Amino acid sequence: MMGCFKGSDSETQKQKRASRELEEKIKAWNKDYKKAIKLLLLGTGESGKTTIIKQMKILHISGFSEAERQEKVVEIRQNIHESIYDLVTNMSTLRPLVSLAEDASKISADYIRSLGPEEPSSYTQEYYDHVQTLWNDKGIKECYRRSNEFQLIDSAKYFLERIMEVRNPNYRPSDQDILYSRKRTTGIQKIEFEMKVPKKYGGGSMGFWMFDVGGQRGERRKWLPLFEGINAILFLVASSDYDQTLREETSVNRLREAVSLFDDVWQSRFLLGAGMIVFLNKQDTLKEKVESGKSIAKYFPEYSRYEMNSKDGNSCDEYIKTRCFIRELFYDVMKKKQSPDDRKSSILPGLTVTLADTENRQCYFHFTVATDTGNIKTVFEDVHTMVLMSVLNEFGLQ
């Protein structure tokens, strides 16, 4: 048994050190922890959790400092290289095959391949010329159109279309650029901010602590026991990922994985007392995909039997019908009956407790675009009101 936990001394020491650092962080936070409204961001990888953290910084703190903007320049240029490298190297893996349209593009493709997946030692003007040549090539555009068949960051098009701005030595990222920049979240992030409480609810301000944990499989769930006492969970879903697979396991559909993770979170004994708000995110990309003719029915055959409620809009609008179908996938998890055995949980060897029934638990859904500051501002005001009402009810003040 103990062999399962063996590793090199350096790995063991590294894990122990990380564990100690986390414990010290939690102790430092503990004093103010009980005073704040705690929000936990959950969801699979690339669902938009870190983008929500950035939006809170824009909306409720002071935005991004010049030093932070300069740090993001490095990240954005890395995003560009990752994007163009993945497009060039995956052309040959597609079936049917996709080829470059121009001879000049072949020289540029060889140049990018020679650099490898890691970022170049320097971003020269020659480098950007090659990237520009490739992005203008019809073959690369076709490869991008079929990018659901391989792994490509969703900000690829955004930055490749802004190559002329990013290549400028004096480039300064806008807020929108920073919202689109991508870097894998590992461990845990925390942001603190305040929102005003309406006078009818007593006035003053309410402090929030928002936590973001990694969404990739290796990062999930290991943090959940630390968050007992969370007031609300913001569960993010990349709605447009219905035709894509996981980076970690390419046989698994990303949207089905999101539904599976939601099931785990909905049933988790650590989070039963938390309010649940689901952000069906990336609605802009979802609309674009559906309107380009990529039907969800190919990946979710049950869609062909789905009948949309007339209250949700025009059932002939394929985008509206698709987003409502995706919402229904999560409704189905909430409606699922639990047997008494399903609700039993072992909390210590030999000690089993029966968990509270989730049947009457409420969940709120929002269709969102995490990179749209106006959209997130409106949605988060609704979240704020919901959380505020929940807190007032808890203390018998409403």
Side-chain angles (χ1 to χ4, degrees), residues 57-258:
K57 193 172 178 66
I58 291 169
L59 291 167
H60 302 297
I61 310 182
S62 54
F64 302 100
S65 68
E66 283 305 312
E68 287 171 322
R69 289 184 192 278
Q70 288 309 306
E71 286 175 11
K72 290 298 177 184
V73 171
V74 176
E75 192 174 297
I76 287 165
R77 287 174 174 159
Q78 287 172 343
N79 287 170
I80 285 176
H81 183 68
E82 179 184 344
S83 299
I84 201 66
Y85 182 83
D86 286 344
L87 285 165
V88 166
T89 55
N90 278 288
M91 291 186 82
S92 60
T93 68
L94 298 175
R95 297 292 180 271
L97 195 68
V98 175
S99 300
L100 292 165
E102 306 294 334
D103 289 340
S105 301
K106 294 173 185 175
I107 296 170
S108 295
D110 288 341
Y111 176 87
I112 294 296
R113 275 194 290 265
S114 72
L115 295 175
E118 301 302 320
E119 64 172 321
S121 55
S122 63
Y123 291 95
T124 62
Q125 293 304 308
E126 179 192 9
Y127 169 84
Y128 289 118
D129 286 341
H130 286 301
V131 174
Q132 185 74 63
T133 297
L134 286 165
W135 184 240
N136 288 336
D137 189 278
K138 290 180 181 177
I140 286 287
K141 289 288 174 60
E142 174 61 15
C143 183
Y144 172 78
R145 191 186 69 80
R146 293 174 57 188
S147 59
N148 65 300
E149 298 175 37
F150 57 95
Q151 302 298 330
L152 181 71
I153 57 172
D154 57 8
S155 58
K157 181 180 179 182
Y158 178 87
F159 286 121
L160 287 169
E161 288 188 340
R162 285 159 179 75
I163 194 75
M164 295 304 290
E165 297 167 38
V166 179
R167 71 184 294 170
N168 188 323
N170 298 318
Y171 167 62
R172 178 182 183 272
S174 66
D175 285 352
Q176 197 68 14
D177 291 348
I178 292 172
L179 289 171
Y180 271 94
S181 66
R182 293 290 175 263
K183 185 177 182 181
R184 179 180 166 180
T185 303
T186 57
I188 179 173
Q189 293 186 75
K190 174 176 72 80
I191 189 170
E192 299 177 40
F193 58 93
E194 290 192 349
M195 290 184 72
K196 290 182 179 178
V197 176
K199 287 184 179 178
K200 64 180 178 180
Y201 299 131
S205 62
M206 177 183 282
F208 284 85
W209 284 20
M210 184 179 278
F211 298 91
D212 172 21
V213 295
Q216 268 73 23
R217 279 185 167 180
E219 296 294 324
R220 290 186 220 151
R221 302 185 183 96
K222 63 185 180 182
W223 304 108
L224 293 187
L226 301 173
F227 291 112
E228 208 159 2
I230 285 287
N231 296 94
I233 298 159
L234 303 187
F235 190 92
L236 271 82
V237 179
S239 302
S240 58
D241 284 0
Y242 63 84
D243 61 347
Q244 294 174 254
T245 60
L246 295 182
R247 286 183 182 273
E248 309 95 306
E249 192 173 344
T250 54
S251 62
V252 178
N253 180 279
R254 287 193 188 187
L255 183 54
R256 290 198 187 278
E257 177 79 354

Side-chain angles (χ1 to χ4, degrees), residues 37-71:
I37 301 300
K38 279 81 67 181
L39 304 176
L40 177 60
L41 290 167
L42 290 178
T44 54
E46 300 174 72
S47 56
K49 299 182 300 300
T50 304
T51 307
I52 295 295
I53 289 276
K54 293 175 187 175
Q55 290 284 23
M56 295 304 104
K57 193 172 178 66
I58 291 169
L59 291 167
H60 302 297
I61 310 182
S62 54
F64 302 100
S65 68
E66 283 305 312
E68 287 171 322
R69 289 184 192 278
Q70 288 309 306
E71 286 175 11

Side-chain angles (χ1 to χ4, degrees), residues 120-393:
S121 55
S122 63
Y123 291 95
T124 62
Q125 293 304 308
E126 179 192 9
Y127 169 84
Y128 289 118
D129 286 341
H130 286 301
V131 174
Q132 185 74 63
T133 297
L134 286 165
W135 184 240
N136 288 336
D137 189 278
K138 290 180 181 177
I140 286 287
K141 289 288 174 60
E142 174 61 15
C143 183
Y144 172 78
R145 191 186 69 80
R146 293 174 57 188
S147 59
N148 65 300
E149 298 175 37
F150 57 95
Q151 302 298 330
L152 181 71
I153 57 172
D154 57 8
S155 58
K157 181 180 179 182
Y158 178 87
F159 286 121
L160 287 169
E161 288 188 340
R162 285 159 179 75
I163 194 75
M164 295 304 290
E165 297 167 38
V166 179
R167 71 184 294 170
N168 188 323
N170 298 318
Y171 167 62
R172 178 182 183 272
S174 66
D175 285 352
Q176 197 68 14
D177 291 348
I178 292 172
L179 289 171
Y180 271 94
S181 66
R182 293 290 175 263
K183 185 177 182 181
R184 179 180 166 180
T185 303
T186 57
I188 179 173
Q189 293 186 75
K190 174 176 72 80
I191 189 170
E192 299 177 40
F193 58 93
E194 290 192 349
M195 290 184 72
K196 290 182 179 178
V197 176
K199 287 184 179 178
K200 64 180 178 180
Y201 299 131
S205 62
M206 177 183 282
F208 284 85
W209 284 20
M210 184 179 278
F211 298 91
D212 172 21
V213 295
Q216 268 73 23
R217 279 185 167 180
E219 296 294 324
R220 290 186 220 151
R221 302 185 183 96
K222 63 185 180 182
W223 304 108
L224 293 187
L226 301 173
F227 291 112
E228 208 159 2
I230 285 287
N231 296 94
I233 298 159
L234 303 187
F235 190 92
L236 271 82
V237 179
S239 302
S240 58
D241 284 0
Y242 63 84
D243 61 347
Q244 294 174 254
T245 60
L246 295 182
R247 286 183 182 273
E248 309 95 306
E249 192 173 344
T250 54
S251 62
V252 178
N253 180 279
R254 287 193 188 187
L255 183 54
R256 290 198 187 278
E257 177 79 354
V259 174
S260 176
L261 179 59
F262 179 76
D263 196 350
D264 288 345
V265 171
W266 185 252
Q267 310 293 347
S268 171
R269 68 183 177 88
F270 300 108
L271 301 170
L272 279 173
M276 183 77 77
I277 302 129
V278 176
F279 283 11
L280 296 172
N281 196 32
K282 301 192 180 180
Q283 290 296 312
D284 52 342
T285 310
L286 175 65
K287 192 171 191 290
E288 186 180 311
K289 275 189 179 180
V290 172
E291 291 181 349
S292 73
K294 294 182 178 180
S295 174
I296 196 171
K298 179 179 177 180
Y299 308 92
F300 289 77
E302 58 267 42
Y303 178 73
S304 60
R305 302 186 300 274
Y306 173 64
E307 293 185 10
M308 193 179 103
N309 191 314
S310 59
K311 292 187 293 185
D312 286 324
N314 181 6
S315 62
C316 294
D317 186 323
E318 200 65 18
Y319 159 63
I320 296 296
K321 186 178 178 182
T322 301
R323 78 177 194 176
C324 290
F325 168 76
I326 292 171
R327 183 182 61 187
E328 195 69 24
L329 296 174
F330 294 88
Y331 276 152
D332 288 344
V333 170
M334 295 160 53
K335 291 185 286 191
K336 193 165 61 177
K337 292 284 186 183
Q338 288 179 288
S339 70
D341 286 340
D342 290 335
R343 288 171 47 222
K344 286 184 178 177
S345 175
S346 176
I347 56 174
L348 287 171
L351 178 59
T352 300
V353 297
T354 299
L355 304 179
D357 198 342
T358 59
E359 190 172 345
N360 297 315
R361 190 178 180 190
Q362 289 187 309
C363 184
Y364 301 86
F365 287 81
H366 291 276
F367 298 110
T368 62
V369 178
T371 52
D372 183 336
T373 302
N375 173 249
I376 295 305
K377 182 177 187 293
T378 301
V379 169
F380 202 77
E381 283 170 356
D382 291 343
V383 170
H384 177 218
T385 301
M386 190 217 79
V387 171
L388 177 59
M389 297 303 291
S390 175
V391 171
L392 291 175
N393 283 329

